[in-house]
Amino acid sequence: MERYPHLKQTDYEIYDLIRLQTLYESTTLKMIASESYVSFSVLEACGSILTNKYAEGNVGARYYEGNELVDKIETLAIDRAKQLFHAEHANVQPYSGSPANHAVYRALLKTGDKLMGMPVPSGGHLTHGWKVNFSGLDYVQIPYSPDPETGKFDMDQIRQTAKKERPKMIWVGATAYPHKIEYKDFAEIAEEINAYLVADIAHINALIIAGVHPDPVPYCDIVSSTSHKMLRGPRAGFLLSKVEDRFQSTYCPEHKLNLAQRIDRAVFPGLQGGPHLHIIAGMATAFHEAMMPEFKNYGVQIVKNAKKLAELLLAKGYRLAGGGTDTHLLILDFRNEQFTGKEAAKALAKSGIIANFNMVPGDPRSPFVTSGVRLGTQSLTAMGMNETDMEKVADWIHRVCRNITRIDEESPNIRQEIADFCSQFQIPGIYPYRPITRHVPIK
Ligand SMILES: *Cc1c(COP(=O)(O)O)cnc(C)c1O
């Protein structure tokens, strides 16, 4: 079956690279904690003619004509987002997670204001005030980090810092924190110092939908998210919020806009022009899929798989940052090893296990090599793997890490075993268009 007949005819180079990437993604274990597999339906919506349309503005108030149908599409995306997360307000226009977070700053702060967030090496995102990002250049980050001993948040420490520094906003959310986040505890601190509380759930939204992670929506002024990663929608961002601003009277009296209006204005015309309607349609489809009972099972199974993998790796003598996981995410801690996180990630990739090197709490090595590898179970779960399959995954990880010095000899065998194993699964968005089942080395 030919999947891209037109592309194949008109632009063979791009066609062939997409074909090879499909092959690569269907013969390797996708363990990058921020990726997953979208469905055929999401791909169809994103590949639709909606990419042709301009619709600057918001539903019912556009600067271009011909948007009656498009308004219905964006309304569906908004309503589904609100329903899915029980939110009062949703904006689905941000082009990705970083632009969504940028809009949060524009809606809540003035340049030079203080915010609390985690530095990147501690597991925070670039947009939480990191020095090379707009958020660190234009605003002042007051850093907080998980305790280097326990790998968990020390709420007393965070409260002390907040009271001393009095930031106007607190980010809570991470790219590499394997534990549950208690938003209620952060909300108490934000309340005490009159700060906005903003959750960034890009990594864990499906766990919240499945009810296996605390829900930030009741406790936070704004909740920011991506729709790719474990939610399995297109690459985009969205913002959920309360309608009213808790600090309206004191904070932004000149505008008389409520919180929802300020967010909408920050996104458009503050930061963006025309919304990507094909992507918004794909997002609506992904939200629809996330309302199905199977999606809850997926969220539950992600955590079961991660806990099982953690248990198996611990039993083989590995160390995990924070001692384990209660999300999708594990961070292998190689501080005691001769090899670095980067060397381990490269050896794993050569063998067909695709992950990334990552700092561990208290990491003595530089961020360019690190002592950790971050793993996520959401893509394997989307393929249909369960706890039994984690035994194979743990064995392969162990075989790679045991053989790092002679990985060139060992990796081709592991790579082929993994390719054969993957061929047993019906991968969303790929099956039955799998190009071939044998793995072809990348030249
Ligand atoms: C991925 C991520 C983002 C940003 O997403 P992009 O779409 O890559 O810009 C923001 N916050 C967190 C916590 C993330 O993990």
Side-chain angles (χ1 to χ4, degrees):
M1 210 179 328
E2 189 50 68
R3 183 165 183 182
Y4 305 107
H6 304 91
L7 197 55
K8 188 177 182 182
Q9 278 219 327
T10 62
D11 189 349
Y12 192 84
E13 284 169 290
I14 288 294
Y15 162 81
D16 200 43
L17 289 167
I18 294 175
R19 186 184 68 83
L20 288 171
Q21 182 69 18
T22 310
L23 179 62
Y24 184 65
E25 294 205 9
S26 53
T27 55
T28 51
L29 298 177
K30 193 197 264 296
M31 297 196 76
I32 292 178
S34 52
E35 294 183 0
S36 197
Y37 295 101
V38 304
S39 68
F40 284 111
S41 306
V42 168
L43 288 174
E44 284 175 12
C46 294
S48 71
I49 53 93
L50 293 170
T51 194
N52 298 342
K53 193 73 193 100
Y54 246 107
E56 278 189 6
N58 294 102
V59 173
R62 306 286 190 184
Y63 290 83
Y64 293 79
E65 297 310 314
N67 280 312
E68 291 75 13
L69 297 170
V70 154
D71 272 0
K72 292 189 181 182
I73 290 171
E74 189 169 337
T75 301
L76 275 174
I78 291 169
D79 288 349
R80 288 175 184 175
K82 282 162 49 176
Q83 197 188 332
L84 190 57
F85 291 96
H86 311 287
E88 291 176 22
H89 179 72
N91 185 305
V92 295
Q93 292 193 0
Y95 297 146
S96 206
S98 302
N101 287 356
H102 198 175
V104 170
Y105 285 84
R106 307 300 296 187
L108 299 186
L109 304 186
K110 293 190 175 65
T111 308
D113 277 351
K114 284 187 194 173
L115 62 115
M116 249 172 103
M118 281 204 284
V120 166
S122 304
H125 190 259
L126 285 168
T127 55
H128 296 181
W130 188 234
K131 53 197 171 192
V132 294
N133 186 259
F134 81 87
S135 60
L137 294 167
D138 295 349
Y139 304 88
V140 179
Q141 187 200 52
I142 308 301
Y144 71 93
S145 300
D147 184 285
E149 292 296 314
T150 63
K152 296 188 180 173
F153 291 133
D154 175 344
M155 295 314 294
D156 293 335
Q157 184 66 46
I158 292 171
R159 174 177 273 103
Q160 262 182 29
T161 309
K163 283 193 154 164
K164 178 158 160 268
E165 299 284 353
R166 303 195 77 83
K168 289 199 173 154
M169 166 174 97
I170 302 175
W171 275 112
V172 52
T175 62
Y177 185 70
H179 306 291
K180 285 183 184 160
I181 295 176
E182 296 298 343
Y183 300 102
K184 194 168 183 284
D185 299 345
F186 280 89
E188 277 171 21
I189 295 174
E191 190 77 45
E192 284 169 39
I193 62 162
N194 282 334
Y196 288 106
L197 183 63
V198 185
D200 183 341
I201 59 166
H203 254 268
I204 51 170
N205 43 29
L207 307 184
I208 293 165
I209 293 167
V212 290
H213 188 284
D215 180 2
V217 173
Y219 301 108
C220 296
D221 298 284
I222 305 180
V223 175
S224 172
S225 186
T226 54
S227 63
H228 48 290
K229 306 193 183 177
M230 65 165 62
L231 187 52
R232 294 164 65 191
R235 305 199 78 80
F238 59 96
L239 293 166
L240 308 167
S241 74
K242 306 264 192 290
V243 170
E244 294 306 326
D245 184 343
R246 286 192 291 136
F247 306 116
Q248 185 71 57
S249 52
T250 54
Y251 199 76
C252 199
E254 69 271 32
H255 290 310
K256 297 211 172 59
L257 297 178
N258 65 32
L259 185 60
Q261 290 165 325
R262 291 224 305 284
I263 290 170
D264 288 350
R265 287 218 189 168
V267 175
F268 173 88
L271 294 169
Q272 298 186 173
H276 294 180
L277 296 159
H278 57 309
I279 299 299
I280 289 174
M283 207 189 254
T285 303
F287 291 148
H288 184 62
E289 291 174 356
M291 287 172 189
M292 302 295 157
E294 303 86 70
F295 195 87
K296 285 219 166 71
N297 300 343
Y298 157 72
V300 170
Q301 191 63 42
I302 290 172
V303 179
K304 282 189 186 166
N305 285 348
K307 281 185 185 285
K308 182 70 188 180
L309 186 59
E311 179 194 312
L312 292 163
L313 290 169
L314 290 169
K316 290 182 195 298
Y318 288 86
R319 302 208 315 176
L320 296 172
T325 180
D326 31 48
T327 60
H328 61 309
L329 191 133
L330 293 80
I331 303 171
L332 283 162
D333 179 349
F334 295 130
R335 275 179 298 178
N336 289 348
E337 299 291 344
Q338 295 297 314
F339 54 82
T340 64
K342 187 171 181 179
E343 284 164 330
K346 293 223 172 290
L348 285 163
K350 234 179 208 168
S351 313
I353 300 169
I354 317 303
N356 67 284
F357 59 88
N358 211 98
M359 296 293 268
V360 297
D363 202 323
R365 292 190 175 108
S366 97
F368 302 106
V369 296
T370 78
S371 301
V373 169
R374 186 182 72 157
L375 301 170
T377 54
Q378 73 294 332
S379 305
L380 305 188
T381 309
M383 284 172 81
M385 290 193 198
N386 59 27
E387 289 102 313
T388 318
D389 301 310
M390 293 305 111
E391 291 175 16
K392 288 209 172 63
V393 175
D395 286 344
W396 281 314
I397 291 171
H398 186 43
R399 248 166 85 193
V400 173
C401 293
R402 216 173 39 192
N403 289 299
I404 287 213
T405 51
R406 43 182 294 275
I407 196 64
D408 286 338
E409 292 154 59
E410 195 64 24
S411 61
N413 298 327
I414 304 177
R415 181 75 175 76
Q416 187 60 57
E417 284 174 36
I418 288 178
D420 291 340
F421 182 64
C422 288
S423 71
Q424 300 168 20
F425 296 91
Q426 301 188 355
I427 305 175
I430 291 180
Y431 178 88
Y433 291 99
R434 214 183 149 81
I436 46 173
T437 52
R438 305 298 283 181
H439 122 73
V440 192
I442 293 173
K443 290 177 208 84

mmCIF file of all heavy atoms in Angstrom, residues 34 96-99 101 125 127-128 173-175 200 202-203 226 228-229 235-236, ligand 1:
data_model
loop_
_atom_site.group_PDB
_atom_site.id
_atom_site.type_symbol
_atom_site.label_atom_id
_atom_site.label_comp_id
_atom_site.label_asym_id
_atom_site.label_seq_id
_atom_site.Cartn_x
_atom_site.Cartn_y
_atom_site.Cartn_z
ATOM 1 N N SER A 34 9.142 12.873 25.964
ATOM 2 C CA SER A 34 8.259 13.929 25.461
ATOM 3 C C SER A 34 7.651 13.583 24.103
ATOM 4 O O SER A 34 7.072 14.446 23.453
ATOM 5 C CB SER A 34 9.035 15.238 25.364
ATOM 6 O OG SER A 34 10.228 15.033 24.634
ATOM 7 N N SER A 96 2.952 26.326 19.924
ATOM 8 C CA SER A 96 3.583 25.195 20.606
ATOM 9 C C SER A 96 3.638 25.522 22.103
ATOM 10 O O SER A 96 3.076 26.547 22.534
ATOM 11 C CB SER A 96 4.988 24.950 20.037
ATOM 12 O OG SER A 96 5.352 23.588 20.225
ATOM 13 N N GLY A 97 4.291 24.675 22.873
ATOM 14 C CA GLY A 97 4.327 24.886 24.325
ATOM 15 C C GLY A 97 5.066 26.157 24.719
ATOM 16 O O GLY A 97 4.623 26.898 25.604
ATOM 17 N N SER A 98 6.186 26.428 24.048
ATOM 18 C CA SER A 98 6.955 27.630 24.402
ATOM 19 C C SER A 98 6.185 28.909 24.111
ATOM 20 O O SER A 98 6.133 29.801 24.979
ATOM 21 C CB SER A 98 8.317 27.627 23.691
ATOM 22 O OG SER A 98 9.032 26.473 24.037
ATOM 23 N N PRO A 99 5.568 29.062 22.928
ATOM 24 C CA PRO A 99 4.723 30.244 22.718
ATOM 25 C C PRO A 99 3.552 30.331 23.705
ATOM 26 O O PRO A 99 3.165 31.438 24.105
ATOM 27 C CB PRO A 99 4.206 30.062 21.285
ATOM 28 C CG PRO A 99 5.215 29.189 20.627
ATOM 29 C CD PRO A 99 5.738 28.276 21.693
ATOM 30 N N ASN A 101 3.668 29.388 26.828
ATOM 31 C CA ASN A 101 4.256 29.921 28.056
ATOM 32 C C ASN A 101 4.623 31.396 27.905
ATOM 33 O O ASN A 101 4.498 32.173 28.852
ATOM 34 C CB ASN A 101 5.479 29.085 28.453
ATOM 35 C CG ASN A 101 5.069 27.730 29.006
ATOM 36 O OD1 ASN A 101 3.876 27.454 29.161
ATOM 37 N ND2 ASN A 101 6.037 26.877 29.291
ATOM 38 N N HIS A 125 11.723 23.803 32.542
ATOM 39 C CA HIS A 125 11.755 24.030 31.099
ATOM 40 C C HIS A 125 12.450 25.359 30.819
ATOM 41 O O HIS A 125 12.464 26.249 31.662
ATOM 42 C CB HIS A 125 10.330 24.050 30.523
ATOM 43 C CG HIS A 125 10.317 24.049 29.029
ATOM 44 N ND1 HIS A 125 10.097 25.194 28.290
ATOM 45 C CD2 HIS A 125 10.527 23.054 28.136
ATOM 46 C CE1 HIS A 125 10.156 24.885 26.998
ATOM 47 N NE2 HIS A 125 10.417 23.596 26.879
ATOM 48 N N THR A 127 11.494 27.825 29.271
ATOM 49 C CA THR A 127 10.585 28.965 29.403
ATOM 50 C C THR A 127 10.181 29.255 30.852
ATOM 51 O O THR A 127 9.323 30.094 31.090
ATOM 52 C CB THR A 127 9.303 28.712 28.589
ATOM 53 O OG1 THR A 127 8.750 27.464 29.020
ATOM 54 C CG2 THR A 127 9.571 28.669 27.106
ATOM 55 N N HIS A 128 10.771 28.555 31.809
ATOM 56 C CA HIS A 128 10.467 28.823 33.220
ATOM 57 C C HIS A 128 11.494 29.784 33.831
ATOM 58 O O HIS A 128 11.737 29.757 35.037
ATOM 59 C CB HIS A 128 10.406 27.525 34.022
ATOM 60 C CG HIS A 128 9.291 26.606 33.590
ATOM 61 N ND1 HIS A 128 9.049 25.393 34.183
ATOM 62 C CD2 HIS A 128 8.359 26.725 32.617
ATOM 63 C CE1 HIS A 128 8.016 24.793 33.601
ATOM 64 N NE2 HIS A 128 7.585 25.592 32.644
ATOM 65 N N GLY A 173 5.857 22.686 37.364
ATOM 66 C CA GLY A 173 5.829 21.782 36.211
ATOM 67 C C GLY A 173 7.254 21.533 35.789
ATOM 68 O O GLY A 173 8.138 22.296 36.154
ATOM 69 N N ALA A 174 7.482 20.464 35.057
ATOM 70 C CA ALA A 174 8.858 20.065 34.792
ATOM 71 C C ALA A 174 8.974 19.253 33.512
ATOM 72 O O ALA A 174 7.986 18.768 32.977
ATOM 73 C CB ALA A 174 9.373 19.240 35.967
ATOM 74 N N THR A 175 10.225 19.136 33.064
ATOM 75 C CA THR A 175 10.505 18.238 31.942
ATOM 76 C C THR A 175 11.159 16.956 32.442
ATOM 77 O O THR A 175 11.299 16.008 31.682
ATOM 78 C CB THR A 175 11.474 18.883 30.937
ATOM 79 O OG1 THR A 175 12.710 19.126 31.603
ATOM 80 C CG2 THR A 175 10.943 20.184 30.408
ATOM 81 N N ASP A 200 2.496 23.894 34.459
ATOM 82 C CA ASP A 200 2.884 23.507 33.104
ATOM 83 C C ASP A 200 2.802 21.978 33.048
ATOM 84 O O ASP A 200 3.654 21.293 33.601
ATOM 85 C CB ASP A 200 4.302 24.002 32.822
ATOM 86 C CG ASP A 200 4.750 23.713 31.401
ATOM 87 O OD1 ASP A 200 4.136 22.840 30.746
ATOM 88 O OD2 ASP A 200 5.717 24.352 30.946
ATOM 89 N N ALA A 202 2.748 20.007 30.321
ATOM 90 C CA ALA A 202 3.109 19.476 28.998
ATOM 91 C C ALA A 202 3.446 17.983 29.045
ATOM 92 O O ALA A 202 3.060 17.222 28.163
ATOM 93 C CB ALA A 202 4.292 20.256 28.438
ATOM 94 N N HIS A 203 4.163 17.591 30.108
ATOM 95 C CA HIS A 203 4.661 16.214 30.157
ATOM 96 C C HIS A 203 3.654 15.205 30.681
ATOM 97 O O HIS A 203 3.792 14.012 30.444
ATOM 98 C CB HIS A 203 5.913 16.157 31.047
ATOM 99 C CG HIS A 203 7.155 15.995 30.256
ATOM 100 N ND1 HIS A 203 7.691 14.767 29.975
ATOM 101 C CD2 HIS A 203 7.937 16.908 29.636
ATOM 102 C CE1 HIS A 203 8.764 14.928 29.235
ATOM 103 N NE2 HIS A 203 8.942 16.224 29.013
ATOM 104 N N THR A 226 1.230 21.359 26.225
ATOM 105 C CA THR A 226 1.391 21.038 24.807
ATOM 106 C C THR A 226 0.316 20.023 24.460
ATOM 107 O O THR A 226 -0.248 19.376 25.350
ATOM 108 C CB THR A 226 2.765 20.403 24.521
ATOM 109 O OG1 THR A 226 2.935 19.291 25.388
ATOM 110 C CG2 THR A 226 3.889 21.385 24.744
ATOM 111 N N HIS A 228 1.108 17.778 21.889
ATOM 112 C CA HIS A 228 1.880 16.600 21.466
ATOM 113 C C HIS A 228 2.339 15.912 22.760
ATOM 114 O O HIS A 228 1.632 15.931 23.728
ATOM 115 C CB HIS A 228 3.024 16.997 20.525
ATOM 116 C CG HIS A 228 3.863 18.147 20.972
ATOM 117 N ND1 HIS A 228 3.403 19.429 21.008
ATOM 118 C CD2 HIS A 228 5.134 18.197 21.430
ATOM 119 C CE1 HIS A 228 4.362 20.246 21.421
ATOM 120 N NE2 HIS A 228 5.415 19.518 21.712
ATOM 121 N N LYS A 229 3.463 15.297 22.812
ATOM 122 C CA LYS A 229 3.893 14.523 23.983
ATOM 123 C C LYS A 229 2.803 13.488 24.318
ATOM 124 O O LYS A 229 2.142 13.020 23.421
ATOM 125 C CB LYS A 229 4.226 15.438 25.160
ATOM 126 C CG LYS A 229 5.257 16.519 24.758
ATOM 127 C CD LYS A 229 5.856 17.258 25.910
ATOM 128 C CE LYS A 229 6.780 18.336 25.377
ATOM 129 N NZ LYS A 229 7.375 19.180 26.382
ATOM 130 N N ARG A 235 1.720 18.898 17.202
ATOM 131 C CA ARG A 235 2.675 19.769 17.909
ATOM 132 C C ARG A 235 2.042 21.134 18.072
ATOM 133 O O ARG A 235 1.962 21.909 17.118
ATOM 134 C CB ARG A 235 3.964 19.935 17.113
ATOM 135 C CG ARG A 235 4.663 18.674 16.726
ATOM 136 C CD ARG A 235 6.111 18.933 16.380
ATOM 137 N NE ARG A 235 6.878 19.085 17.590
ATOM 138 C CZ ARG A 235 7.307 18.060 18.330
ATOM 139 N NH1 ARG A 235 7.062 16.822 17.986
ATOM 140 N NH2 ARG A 235 7.991 18.284 19.435
ATOM 141 N N ALA A 236 1.586 21.458 19.263
ATOM 142 C CA ALA A 236 0.941 22.732 19.521
ATOM 143 C C ALA A 236 0.825 22.931 21.023
ATOM 144 O O ALA A 236 1.154 22.036 21.811
ATOM 145 C CB ALA A 236 -0.442 22.765 18.883
HETATM 146 C C1 LIG B 1 7.914 20.399 26.107
HETATM 147 C C2 LIG B 1 7.667 21.379 27.158
HETATM 148 C C3 LIG B 1 7.346 22.707 26.852
HETATM 149 C C4 LIG B 1 7.449 23.349 25.496
HETATM 150 O O1 LIG B 1 7.047 22.741 24.418
HETATM 151 P P1 LIG B 1 7.529 23.060 22.928
HETATM 152 O O2 LIG B 1 6.343 22.675 22.181
HETATM 153 O O3 LIG B 1 8.739 22.218 22.706
HETATM 154 O O4 LIG B 1 7.834 24.525 22.809
HETATM 155 C C5 LIG B 1 7.032 23.550 27.905
HETATM 156 N N1 LIG B 1 7.041 23.109 29.160
HETATM 157 C C6 LIG B 1 7.370 21.854 29.495
HETATM 158 C C7 LIG B 1 7.368 21.452 30.928
HETATM 159 C C8 LIG B 1 7.703 20.941 28.516
HETATM 160 O O5 LIG B 1 8.058 19.709 28.860
#
